[in-house]
Amino acid sequence: MTKRVTIVGDTFVPADTPEAAMTPLFEGSTVDLDDSTAGLLVVAGKARYDKDAKLRDTGKARMAEADERAARNAVDPQQALAAAVAAAVAQAMQALQTKPAA
């Protein structure tokens, strides 16, 4: 038997087969889950029973938002390496300049 729940906090649930990865469920989604999984999520405070709600998946929108943030914040690896080397050289030069003369 299945229960309809609305997800109130991002969570993961076991996949249908043991070989498959966990399935992410995002806040605002309404899904049908087996009794035991639904019960565990409700007890954990990650979901609430909602038998009259329409099914809804917010996963695609949330993943698109995450992809946009990642693209905005992406740094070219070569630029990151160049910046790290420049910072190390600047720090070494400063250490040499502040060293007291013997």
Side-chain angles (χ1 to χ4, degrees):
M1 180 166 264
T2 62
K3 298 283 184 184
R4 185 159 294 182
V5 294
T6 296
I7 305 302
V8 296
D10 296 346
T11 189
F12 289 91
V13 294
D16 294 335
T17 61
E19 299 83 27
M22 300 284 276
T23 303
L25 294 176
F26 296 99
E27 184 177 347
S29 294
T30 301
V31 294
D32 287 334
L33 298 172
D34 64 83
D35 286 341
S36 64
T37 303
L40 289 172
L41 290 178
V42 169
V43 168
K46 296 291 186 172
R48 71 173 185 275
Y49 291 115
D50 204 352
K51 67 179 180 177
D52 297 325
K54 292 183 180 181
L55 292 175
R56 190 170 114 192
D57 181 12
T58 61
K60 290 180 184 177
R62 293 286 298 276
M63 295 305 283
E65 289 173 12
D67 288 343
E68 283 179 30
R69 277 194 311 277
R72 265 195 322 267
N73 298 330
V75 175
D76 180 32
Q78 290 178 343
Q79 289 177 339
L81 179 59
V85 169
V89 168
Q91 185 177 8
M93 294 296 287
Q94 185 176 4
L96 286 174
Q97 290 174 354
T98 58
K99 200 174 204 180

